[in-house]
Amino acid sequence: MNSVRLRRCFNTALSIITASLSYDTNEIVLKEAFGQYGEITGVKVICDHKSGRSKGYGFVRFTAESAASIALQKMDGQLLDGRNIRVHYAHKG
């Protein structure tokens, strides 16, 4: 998925960006961790295109703004795969 399409898919109040992820955290782990707060329509861990290794951040898109808000409040600073993650709303850039 190119960066323009990624920004279009994930830039709303329904989307959050997760930072400080472990390099071992994949999309399945992210979906399981955030899925407890509401229905998810998309998850993407950003990886280096050459090595395939995670860059340490990703996006989660919810079906409802309220679910995204709760997930942000509950998950920011929490431990996931051995790292305290940071969670913010995804913004247009």
Side-chain angles (χ1 to χ4, degrees):
M1 182 176 288
N2 70 37
S3 62
V4 172
R5 278 186 49 210
L6 185 64
R7 283 194 296 262
R8 282 188 198 136
C9 290
F10 287 99
N11 276 337
T12 69
L14 302 175
S15 299
I16 56 177
I17 184 169
T18 59
S20 298
L21 295 176
S22 164
Y23 294 125
D24 296 324
T25 301
N26 60 31
E27 292 168 357
I28 295 168
V29 171
L30 213 52
K31 187 171 185 176
E32 287 176 359
F34 283 85
Q36 62 186 316
Y37 302 107
E39 187 176 347
I40 293 174
T41 60
V43 176
K44 181 70 179 170
V45 173
I46 306 305
C47 296
D48 180 83
H49 67 279
K50 290 183 181 177
S51 70
R53 184 176 177 196
S54 168
K55 290 188 173 187
Y57 69 98
F59 296 89
V60 179
R61 181 177 172 86
F62 290 88
T63 59
E65 187 175 337
S66 59
S69 176
I70 292 167
L72 187 149
Q73 293 170 21
K74 298 286 186 178
M75 291 298 292
D76 189 36
Q78 294 300 309
L79 195 65
L80 182 65
D81 278 350
R83 300 279 312 260
N84 291 98
I85 63 171
R86 295 187 333 247
V87 182
H88 303 280
Y89 283 110
H91 296 289
K92 292 182 181 177

